[in-house]
């Protein structure tokens, strides 16, 4: 049965976050699976307010990495043919010179998004929409947490963000748990494609989905919700900190930066400063070395090699970024 309250909340999210509107042309990233089929039907069942109902197109990518790929493609073709509201559709076959044996998910994702962007450009669409939901969000946060990295990465996925200069990526279901998606539709789904690779626990994200998160939910049924709330709090804190960063950057460059702050705070500033200058892969170890260099009262000069042709250089109380050579 359709949950009208959840639908109203979702529509309010679309409106308040300006995810899409009637003047937009969106491309649904369609896989034939339960979640993307729910998204496609929700966008085309004509229940959105008129001012929010965009033009809808859809793209499917056949990765040719599973034995059931032909059956999946046939199902997708049937769905497209049965959805006359779609402005345009495209089915893309990926050709692999050599089937990847490592980083398969990352390579497939990269090529899938490239195909989505190409299609959007060809038909004049300005937004690409995916079916990522709240359960996906919790998995993403846990995955990034165990991999390690900077706190900014623990903010999880955002409802929207730029893919290219003219194309935006939108995730309207991000606040909805997977188990509630069925209630968005007039009628529950009867058929969809089940990706057999989702049960393959050799992939880290599958292990989190199939083993780790269920165990956490035995401790607290709201585990996924609380994980996502923590990610949202981090995003809010990061937003507030952004206002102070220009002052911290100026202090770095003028030699008045407070190097007695906690290391975690300094690393946050240094990483943001380097990101602003186009460096995104600097390791925490290198930033710790920079902190030690700047705190060392027995020296007035020094260098930290960052790789890719860059180095941090200390001159008295000032720290600057330079190219090697």
């Amino acid at each position: 049965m359709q949950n009208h309250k959840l639908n109203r909340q979702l529509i309010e999210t679309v409106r308040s976050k300006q995810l899409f509107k009637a003047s937009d042309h969106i491309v649904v990233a369609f896989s034939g699976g339960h979640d993307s089929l729910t998204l496609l039907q929700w966008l085309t069942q004509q229940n959105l307010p008129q001012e929010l109902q965009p033009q809808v197109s859809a793209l499917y990518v056949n990765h040719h990495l599973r034995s059931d790929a032909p059956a999946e493609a046939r199902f997708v073709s049937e769905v497209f043919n049965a959805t006359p509201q779609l402005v345009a559709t495209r089915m893309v076959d990926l050709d692999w010179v050599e089937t990847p044996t490592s980083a398969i998910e990352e390579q497939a994702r990269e090529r899938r998004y490239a195909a989505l962007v190409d299609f959007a450009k060809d038909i004049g669409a300005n937004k690409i929409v995916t079916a990522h939901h709240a359960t996906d969000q919790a998995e993403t946060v846990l995955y990034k947490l165990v991999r390690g990295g900077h706190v900014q990465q623990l903010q999880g996925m955002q409802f929207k963000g730029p893919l290219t200069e003219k194309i935006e990526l939108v995730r309207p279901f991000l606040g909805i748990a997977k188990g509630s998606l069925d209630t968005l539709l007039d009628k529950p789904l009867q058929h969809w494609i089940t990706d057999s690779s989702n049960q393959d626990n050799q992939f880290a994200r599958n292990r989190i989905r199939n083993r780790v998160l269920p165990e956490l939910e035995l401790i607290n049924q709201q585990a996924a919700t609380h994980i996502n709330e923590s990610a949202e709090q981090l995003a809010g804190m990061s937003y507030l900190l952004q206002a102070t960063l220009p002052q911290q950057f100026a202090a770095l460059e003028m030699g008045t930066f407070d190097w007695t702050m906690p290391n975690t705070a300094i690393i946050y500033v240094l990483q943001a400063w380097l990101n602003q200058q186009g460096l995104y892969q600097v390791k925490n170890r290198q930033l710790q070395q920079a902190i030690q260099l700047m705190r060392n009262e027995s020296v007035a000069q020094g260098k930290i090699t960052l790789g890719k042709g860059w180095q941090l250089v200390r001159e008295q109380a000032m720290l600057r970024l330079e190219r090697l050579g």
Side-chain angles (χ1 to χ4, degrees):
M1 179 180 294
Q2 188 181 41
N3 185 329
H4 295 289
K5 180 180 179 181
L6 185 62
N7 258 295
R8 288 195 298 270
Q9 291 173 344
L10 178 54
I11 288 171
E12 179 53 33
T13 296
V14 171
R15 180 179 284 114
S16 63
K17 294 185 180 297
Q18 300 181 342
L19 300 185
F20 51 77
K21 56 186 182 299
S23 60
D24 290 323
H25 186 175
I26 66 177
V27 173
V28 174
F30 187 66
S31 67
H34 176 276
D35 303 342
S36 68
L37 182 55
T38 301
L39 176 64
L40 186 75
Q41 293 204 5
W42 181 75
L43 286 165
T44 58
Q45 65 185 4
Q46 307 301 309
N47 286 343
L48 285 169
Q50 185 175 357
E51 73 275 12
L52 296 181
Q53 179 62 62
Q55 288 185 295
V56 183
S57 293
L59 176 134
Y60 161 76
V61 175
N62 189 338
H63 298 92
H64 289 286
L65 294 173
R66 305 195 317 274
S67 60
D68 55 358
E72 179 180 283
R74 286 194 297 271
F75 175 77
V76 170
S77 181
E78 291 171 2
V79 170
F80 285 174
N81 290 333
T83 313
Q85 299 91 340
L86 292 172
V87 176
T89 62
R90 180 178 291 177
M91 299 180 66
V92 175
D93 290 295
L94 293 187
D95 293 322
W96 300 93
V97 175
E98 187 173 326
T99 302
T101 57
S102 62
I104 299 173
E105 291 181 315
E106 291 80 0
Q107 292 185 62
R109 181 186 184 279
E110 182 178 336
R111 296 189 65 180
R112 183 167 64 251
Y113 274 87
L116 284 161
V117 168
D118 287 344
F119 181 50
K121 289 178 178 178
D122 288 346
I123 63 174
N126 62 320
K127 298 192 177 184
I128 291 169
V129 184
T130 69
H132 290 110
H133 46 69
T135 311
D136 289 327
Q137 178 76 301
E139 294 167 5
T140 297
V141 174
L142 284 173
Y143 179 64
K144 291 183 175 181
L145 179 64
V146 297
R147 285 190 64 184
H150 300 287
V151 68
Q152 296 97 317
Q153 297 172 330
L154 299 181
Q155 297 171 27
M157 296 178 284
Q158 303 303 308
F159 276 92
K160 65 178 183 178
L163 264 181
T164 71
E165 185 178 345
K166 296 183 178 180
I167 300 174
E168 196 169 43
L169 178 63
V170 178
R171 304 179 180 96
F173 288 175
L174 207 51
I176 301 175
K178 180 178 176 64
S180 298
L181 293 181
D182 275 334
T183 66
L184 294 173
L185 303 178
D186 295 333
K187 298 178 182 179
L189 299 178
Q190 299 298 318
H191 305 286
W192 59 85
I193 293 294
T194 299
D195 186 342
S196 56
S197 68
N198 286 340
Q199 301 306 313
D200 187 348
N201 288 327
Q202 70 170 315
F203 299 117
R205 293 203 51 139
N206 286 355
R207 289 199 296 275
I208 292 172
R209 178 183 305 119
N210 299 328
R211 294 179 179 176
V212 176
L213 197 53
E215 287 292 327
L216 293 176
E217 288 173 341
L218 290 177
I219 299 172
N220 187 323
Q221 291 182 342
Q222 299 299 312
T225 299
H226 296 323
I227 290 168
N228 291 343
E229 288 172 347
S230 296
E232 290 173 6
Q233 290 172 18
L234 284 172
M237 294 167 63
S238 180
Y239 177 82
L240 291 175
L241 286 170
Q242 293 300 313
T244 71
L245 287 178
Q247 296 174 338
Q248 300 292 351
F249 296 166
L252 273 173
E253 294 161 3
M254 294 173 61
T256 58
F257 187 77
D258 182 6
W259 293 99
T260 66
M261 289 192 295
N263 283 15
T264 51
I266 297 175
I267 287 175
Y268 185 93
V269 173
L270 289 177
Q271 189 62 59
W273 179 60
L274 293 170
N275 287 352
Q276 187 186 57
Q277 300 177 76
L279 290 182
Y280 296 95
Q281 304 300 323
V282 179
K283 295 179 173 60
N284 271 3
R285 171 180 52 80
Q286 295 168 314
L287 299 180
Q288 294 280 8
Q289 291 173 350
I291 294 171
Q292 293 172 9
L293 174 63
M294 296 304 296
R295 286 177 175 168
N296 190 341
E297 296 179 357
S298 64
V299 300
Q301 296 177 326
K303 298 178 180 179
I304 304 293
T305 301
L306 301 179
K308 295 187 177 180
W310 291 96
Q311 63 183 354
L312 288 172
V313 178
R314 174 182 177 176
E315 288 287 349
Q316 302 295 335
M318 291 186 291
L319 183 69
R320 65 177 185 270
L321 181 66
E322 286 186 357
R323 281 194 177 276
L324 286 168

